[in-house]
Amino acid sequence: MGRGTVQVLLLLGLLHWGPGGEGRKNWRRRGQQPAAAAAARERSEATGQPVESFPLDFTAVEGNMDSFMAQIKSLAQSLYPCSAQNLHHELRLHLLLNSSVTCNDGSPAGYYLKESKGSRRWLLFLEGGWYCFNRENCDTRYDTMRRLMSSKEWPITKTGTGILSSQPEENPHWWNANMVFIPYCSSDVWSGASSKSEKNEYAFMGALIIQEVVKELVGKGLSNAKVLLLAGSSAGGTGVLLNVDRVAEQLEEMGYQGIQVRGLADSGWFLDNKQYRRTDCIDTITCAPTEAIRRGIRYWNGIVPERCKLQFKEGEEWNCFFGYKIYPTLRCPVFVVQWLFDEAQLTVDNVHLTGQPVQEGQWLYIQNLGRELRNTLKDVTASFAPACLSHEIITRNHWTDIQVKGTSLPRALHCWDRSLHDSNKNGKAPLKGCPIHLIDSCPWPHCNPSCPTIRDQFTGQEMNVIQFLMHMGFDVQKMAQQQGLEPSKLLGMLSSGS
């Protein structure tokens, strides 16, 4: 019999033969008499509540361990005040007590929280959702995406998915952490610091919302944290890069120097590259990222980390919104997750994959984008960059399926966690067999066989990588010739993800 089994049996022995137990096989509340137990059972049956008394069968434990462990689980559920059948893995909404820190429309900002009392790890997630940078496109955003500018219609609870899930199968290493989801309602890439006024139709308080949430969480157990992981996707991923050092400094100033603050930026590592086709800056989709951020930072009264700000001339703080420029200035360790062919990047670069075969110029632009992005990540200590055409990953149900060089994202994050814990040197000494710098080297979108499924937008049918590339106008003969390969050899390499 294993050591764990012996410990469980000893624990049960204390329950079974403890004071008032008298060796009986029925566990009851201490001192409860048979008549009282029967009366309690009758009341329980009448109200539909579970019966208190719980029979345990200790016979043939070794030969029937599954059955025995099922009894242990059932006993634990009966002892726990809220049985597992009624246990919700949901995050609950808390509007900020400081009502001066608001969403765009002046409604109170807030956060969703699911506490995990036994854990000293906290995960704070910043939601994404583009931005607006002038009165006109903010008005349009308010009419079409009000949830991203107001808290008035937020639901009371949310169910966490991906890295916010409480299910070990979906979230193998962080399922038991204290989970915080901070909804995005400031439209400023989490950088703004201006309130609503007669002059300003909208408030932009993204940076202040994060500070206020951290302040409130300190009173809810964050003060005892060992690790705080500030994570985010898309605009939230960029928000991580802009705010992770500020959160660390805030906690230090509050007297919590022992909390290790880290960042996880998903799909927020954008390039300030030249657009495929230049268009006028009318809205967030058509405007080049550099111009949109230039205009936005003024409109939002946006703030960037001081260390990054000092790298650029006055008026050029917009540079700090681009990952490869701000990353070298960060003090906190940050793990970067970025698709090499990010759909949002392609959108702002005016490469629109509408289902029609792409032109040769677009195809070359897409390939070059992958190369440029790969180059910006070469000096990033901890990174995960699959050669896929997609956007956002860490809160997706399928986030455990994507691999780079045989390593999944949860595994890579676990390795990073261990490297920081073991070396305490920002992960600069990776553990053997536990990689944390994972960047695909194959050159085409979806050349990684673990990429998310692609569907033909007209037929809805799934496409494999060869069908997808053909669909995009990929010329096998020409590409094989360029690579000095036989077409059949190139197709075989594509199929295997080589």
Side-chain angles (χ1 to χ4, degrees):
M1 193 181 298
R3 182 181 171 189
T5 307
V6 172
Q7 289 174 334
V8 168
L9 285 172
L10 285 171
L11 172 64
L12 284 170
L14 291 172
L15 288 171
H16 187 63
W17 285 286
E22 299 174 10
R24 291 187 294 273
K25 284 191 178 180
N26 280 352
W27 178 85
R28 301 187 182 97
R29 290 188 190 275
R30 189 178 297 175
Q32 188 176 24
Q33 297 304 310
R41 190 181 295 109
E42 285 175 18
R43 283 197 305 274
S44 181
E45 287 167 356
T47 59
Q49 297 299 312
V51 178
E52 287 277 4
S53 181
F54 190 90
L56 283 174
D57 183 4
F58 288 95
T59 57
V61 167
E62 294 233 27
N64 194 9
M65 181 53 76
D66 288 346
S67 174
F68 178 68
M69 292 313 293
Q71 290 184 62
I72 300 297
K73 183 178 178 183
S74 194
L75 172 61
Q77 291 172 7
S78 72
L79 291 173
Y80 195 69
C82 175
S83 72
Q85 288 94 329
N86 299 321
L87 198 61
H88 294 295
H89 301 288
E90 290 183 328
L91 297 92
R92 185 160 290 274
L93 176 63
H94 299 257
L95 294 175
L96 291 179
L97 298 174
N98 181 354
S99 58
S100 68
V101 179
T102 72
C103 297
N104 291 131
D105 69 343
S107 58
Y111 57 95
Y112 289 83
L113 169 66
K114 188 191 77 65
E115 295 176 73
S116 181
K117 295 294 186 185
S119 175
R120 295 181 66 196
R121 298 201 299 169
W122 286 72
L123 195 159
L124 277 61
F125 179 83
L126 306 179
E127 186 183 23
W130 291 91
Y131 47 80
C132 59
F133 54 79
N134 61 33
R135 174 69 184 273
E136 291 73 30
N137 57 48
C138 285
D139 284 346
T140 301
R141 182 179 173 89
Y142 191 70
D143 290 338
T144 58
M145 294 185 280
R146 191 160 302 181
R147 181 187 65 79
L148 293 174
M149 298 182 77
S150 173
S151 64
K152 289 174 183 175
E153 295 181 6
W154 287 352
I156 298 301
T157 59
K158 276 186 79 72
T159 301
T161 54
I163 200 168
L164 291 172
S165 171
S166 299
Q167 305 294 338
E169 304 80 19
E170 188 176 335
N171 188 15
H173 304 300
W174 278 86
W175 65 274
N176 196 34
N178 296 276
M179 303 290 189
V180 182
F181 177 96
I182 312 179
Y184 184 40
C185 68
S186 56
S187 309
D188 56 4
V189 199
W190 296 98
S191 71
S194 65
S195 56
K196 187 178 178 183
S197 65
E198 288 182 17
K199 185 182 174 185
N200 301 324
E201 178 69 20
Y202 296 109
F204 298 99
M205 308 186 81
L208 303 183
I209 290 169
I210 296 170
Q211 289 184 2
E212 200 63 33
V213 169
V214 169
K215 200 183 297 181
E216 282 201 16
L217 291 175
V218 162
K220 294 180 182 290
L222 180 62
S223 55
N224 298 316
K226 185 177 179 183
V227 174
L228 185 159
L229 180 63
L230 184 68
S233 293
S234 194
T238 309
V240 167
L241 299 170
L242 291 169
N243 288 279
V244 65
D245 277 2
R246 194 177 296 122
V247 168
E249 288 159 13
Q250 179 186 359
L251 288 168
E252 284 173 15
E253 287 168 8
M254 294 175 78
Y256 303 110
Q257 293 91 343
I259 302 174
Q260 300 168 41
V261 179
R262 303 167 186 171
L264 170 58
D266 166 32
S267 302
W269 186 275
F270 292 103
L271 300 182
D272 54 344
N273 58 343
K274 189 178 178 182
Q275 289 176 298
Y276 171 67
R277 185 175 285 114
R278 193 182 178 284
T279 52
D280 291 334
C281 185
I282 299 166
D283 54 34
T284 51
I285 304 299
T286 59
C287 195
T290 48
E291 184 57 31
I293 296 300
R294 267 196 193 101
R295 296 185 185 193
I297 201 168
R298 292 194 298 267
Y299 189 55
W300 309 323
N301 188 26
I303 52 176
V304 299
E306 198 63 29
R307 280 165 60 89
C308 183
K309 187 178 178 179
L310 292 172
Q311 303 296 312
F312 302 99
K313 295 176 186 173
E314 189 176 346
E316 293 188 1
E317 295 86 355
W318 59 267
N319 283 282
C320 297
F321 283 72
F322 295 93
Y324 74 100
K325 294 181 177 180
I326 190 173
Y327 178 83
T329 72
L330 297 178
R331 286 179 168 150
C332 291
V334 173
F335 192 109
V336 176
V337 180
Q338 188 68 35
W339 303 107
L340 288 180
F341 306 95
D342 186 272
E343 288 174 324
Q345 179 76 57
L346 287 168
T347 297
V348 295
D349 286 340
N350 284 322
V351 179
H352 302 295
L353 304 175
T354 58
Q356 299 299 318
V358 298
Q359 298 165 3
E360 184 176 4
Q362 286 178 307
W363 179 246
L364 293 173
Y365 184 94
I366 291 168
Q367 285 184 275
N368 189 58
L369 174 67
R371 278 194 295 272
E372 283 187 36
L373 208 133
R374 194 181 290 113
N375 286 338
T376 66
L377 292 171
K378 66 180 186 294
D379 295 324
V380 174
T381 305
S383 53
F384 187 88
C388 307
L389 180 71
S390 195
H391 184 61
E392 301 188 355
I393 178 63
I394 61 173
T395 56
R396 305 288 192 229
N397 293 320
H398 62 263
W399 81 299
T400 57
D401 299 337
I402 314 301
Q403 296 189 358
V404 174
K405 299 175 182 174
T407 300
S408 70
L409 178 51
R411 168 71 177 162
L413 287 170
H414 181 58
C415 290
W416 179 58
D417 202 36
R418 285 179 57 194
S419 72
L420 292 173
H421 180 265
D422 293 350
S423 70
N424 206 25
K425 293 178 182 176
N426 291 6
K428 290 178 181 172
L431 300 164
K432 192 174 181 182
C434 211
I436 59 174
H437 185 77
L438 293 156
I439 303 172
D440 263 336
S441 53
C442 60
W444 303 295
H446 270 64
C447 55
N448 177 330
S450 73
C451 286
T453 301
I454 316 167
R455 292 185 182 275
D456 185 308
Q457 74 178 84
F458 297 112
T459 66
Q461 291 183 324
E462 290 187 12
M463 293 188 285
N464 62 31
V465 65
I466 297 171
Q467 290 169 327
F468 166 68
L469 292 172
M470 297 283 200
H471 184 71
M472 289 182 65
F474 178 79
D475 188 330
V476 176
Q477 292 282 133
K478 188 173 182 180
M479 194 58 69
Q481 193 177 5
Q482 287 178 0
Q483 302 291 327
L485 299 168
E486 289 293 319
S488 58
K489 171 96 175 186
L490 176 59
L491 287 172
M493 291 169 66
L494 287 171
S495 297
S496 64
S498 301

